[in-house]
């Protein structure tokens, strides 16, 4: 009882604080959090109620067309556009990034100009230009400039709506991808190139075997975001009368006047596809962050549980 | 002439207006270990980098095994070497950097095999055999499958030495190979280098390890401000430096 650690001796008896109470930690209740959550849940309920009870949404029509072959064909064209435009964009992006890092100032300057132009003009306007290409160049001629021509074709025959879409989306994407690729390339330490050069490797080998694999860590995550964004941007191609997902829906509602249900059906497909890509993106980022010490973003489920868990203050602060 | 590996005459290098090398003369015989010491910024690294063309010369010339570096003589006229020719001559010169510069996305074994496979296009089994022998020689047989990030600095530098040796170079350049290491790890790298010297490798070593220079070096060069100030037997230079600036430098570091 006379141990120096226990506060029971005469000197502390008059103290205002009852130390035995301090051994138990009070709980943190997060009252404000519960109230806010309640308000938000109520708002969600109001919106959901209106979605279900408002007959003008015509959910039976929505789901009927959602599963229809016409929208599904449009969806496949959307996916096709997304993939091809991204591939074109990545190839052009790598080329532009290398050009901008080139020691040849003419090459670097032309690449910078290209990027400035294609990033500065809205992609919607670019798509219109490609659609109206025949107004600028009625015939497309392959040959020696100012010399003989080998091959000549009507622009409207060659530049189909599909090709115009790929050109518009791909070139625009290339301008954005070049910045992403460039950031990746310059993130690789100069010593890596020097070590590879010192071993006798040629520049192309150094790029392919040493620099690009390391740059991927920086390049891949934003490229995933670009792909998700591209999936939605393809809807602009409807202006070229190419029957991708949105234009397929428009074709249907221009005939049956079920405008809102068809727009919802198309939106559901876009949501489903972007969600799938986002999940893929999560795993890709986790893969490329491994070992780099950067934390991987957690699934929202865990964050929700953690936020409302009632815990001891000590646990909270020590976490 | 066959036993001269490096012959440098009047080597000049400028970075813009900065005159870094002001006329370096140096001859290195086969099997010799030449150590270069000198204050920071005196041009030691730059000279080493000129030998394997990580820098281009602004004056003078360097011959490696009798072949001019960076240029070729054809029909009595001097031409610049093509990129392929530059790469080919680098393949015969090994270089070890202060910061190791291992390829982080490859395992230790892949680091060592990459250049022989891609540059010399040797067969996979031959290259792998040689790599495993080299790993044994630097005492890292157990680390073949590890990634560089999981190795200590001393282990990384030993892998870097093995990687350079895998190309079977006739000359090895070391640029302060132990300067980035914790003191207790310096010894294991110097031991590997000592073994290499005993095996007859021609080596140029920029270093601050005076003990290594004294015991292993055949020649010691003191560089200052872009010049070779003093050149001689390591013991003689370290114990009775002739030049005033060498005396000052050694008084500071010893
Ligand atoms: N790529 C470069 N561009 C401009 N200056 C450089 C470059 N490399 C080295 N220098 C300069 O050249 C001088 C010599 O450098 P260096 O050869 O690295 O010296 P040391 O290895 O003896 O410390 C230093 O003043 C350094 O700043
Ligand atoms: Mg240096």
């Amino acid at each position: 009882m006379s141990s120096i650690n226990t506060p029971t001796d005469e000197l502390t008896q008059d103290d205002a604080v009852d130390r035995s109470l301090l051994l138990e930690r009070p709980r943190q209740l997060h009252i404000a959090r519960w109230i806010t959550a309640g308000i938000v849940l109520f708002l969600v309920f109001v919106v959901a109620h209106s979605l279900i009870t408002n007959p003008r949404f015509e959910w039976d029509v929505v789901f009927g067309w959602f599963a229809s072959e016409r929208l599904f064909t449009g969806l496949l064209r959307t996916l096709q556009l997304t993939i091809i435009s991204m591939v074109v964009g990545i190839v052009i992006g790598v080329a532009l990034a290398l050009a901008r890092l080139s020691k040849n100032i003419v090459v670097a300057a032309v690449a910078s100009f290209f990027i400035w132009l294609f990033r500065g003009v809205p992609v919607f306007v670019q798509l219109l230009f490609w659609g109206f290409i025949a107004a600028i160049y009625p015939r497309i001629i392959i040959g020696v400039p100012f010399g003989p021509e080998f091959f000549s074709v009507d622009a409207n025959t060659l530049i189909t709506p599909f090709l115009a879409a790929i050109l518009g989306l791909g070139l625009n994407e290339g301008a954005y991808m070049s910045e992403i690729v460039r950031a990746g390339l310059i993130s690789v330490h100069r010593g890596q190139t020097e070590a590879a050069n010192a071993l006798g490797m040629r520049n192309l080998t150094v790029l392919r075997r040493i620099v690009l694999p390391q740059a991927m860590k920086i390049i891949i995550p934003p490229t995933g975001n670009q792909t998700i964004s591209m999936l939605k941007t393809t809807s602009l191609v409807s202006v070229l009368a190419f029957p991708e997902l949105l234009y397929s829906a428009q074709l249907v509602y221009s005939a049956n006047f079920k405008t809102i249900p068809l727009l919802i059906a198309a939106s559901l497909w876009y949501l489903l596809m972007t969600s799938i890509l986002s999940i893929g993106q999560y795993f890709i980022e986790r893969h490329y962050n491994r070992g780099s010490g950067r934390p991987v973003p957690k699934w929202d489920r865990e964050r929700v549980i953690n936020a409302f868990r009632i815990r001891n203050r000590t646990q909270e602060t020590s976490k | 002439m066959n036993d001269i590996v490096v012959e440098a005459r009047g080597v000049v290098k400028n970075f813009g207006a900065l005159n870094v090398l002001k006329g370096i003369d140096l001859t290195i015989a086969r099997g010799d270990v030449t150590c270069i010491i000198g204050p920071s910024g005196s041009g030691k690294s730059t000279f080493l980098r000129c030998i394997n063309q990580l820098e281009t010369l602004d004056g003078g010339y360097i011959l490696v095994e009798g072949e001019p570096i960076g240029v070729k003589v054809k029909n009595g006229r001097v031409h610049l070497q093509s990129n392929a020719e530059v790469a080919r001559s680098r393949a015969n010169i090994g270089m070890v950097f202060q910061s190791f510069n291992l390829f982080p996305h490859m395992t230790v074994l892949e680091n060592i095999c990459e250049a022989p496979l891609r540059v010399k296009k040797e067969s996979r089994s031959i290259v792998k055999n040689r790599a495993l022998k080299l790993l044994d020689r630097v005492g890292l047989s157990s680390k073949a499958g590890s990634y560089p990030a999981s190795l200590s600095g001393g282990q990384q530098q030993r892998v870097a030495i093995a990687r350079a040796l895998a190309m079977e170079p006739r000359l090895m350049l070391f640029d302060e190979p132990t300067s980035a290491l914790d003191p207790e790890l310096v010894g294991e790298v110097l031991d590997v280098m000592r073994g290499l010297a005993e095996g007859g490798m021609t080596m140029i070593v920029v270093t601050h390890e005076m003990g290594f220079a004294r015991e292993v070096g055949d020649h010691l060069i003191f560089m200052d401000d872009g010049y070779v100030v003093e050149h001689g037997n390591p013991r003689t230079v370290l114990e009775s430096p002739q030049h005033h600036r060498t005396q000052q430098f050694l008084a500071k570091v010893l």
Side-chain angles (χ1 to χ4, degrees), chain A residues 191-192 194 197-198 209 214, chain B residues 49 90 102-105 114:
Chain A
Q192 292 290 308
E194 290 193 342
N197 281 146
R209 298 287 307 169
Q214 295 184 58
Chain B
R49 293 160 61 82
R90 279 178 182 148
L102 292 181
F103 307 132
H105 57 302
E114 183 67 12

Side-chain angles (χ1 to χ4, degrees), chain A residues 183-226:
Chain A
L185 291 179
I186 58 183
S187 77
V188 179
H189 197 270
R190 221 169 66 101
Q192 292 290 308
T193 311
E194 290 193 342
N197 281 146
L199 286 163
M201 288 189 213
R202 304 281 302 277
N203 286 341
L204 208 61
T205 314
V206 176
L207 183 69
R208 207 167 52 82
R209 298 287 307 169
I210 309 299
V211 176
L212 270 181
Q214 295 184 58
M216 282 304 167
K217 217 179 266 191
I218 305 292
I219 293 173
I220 293 266
T223 304
N225 285 331
Q226 290 296 111

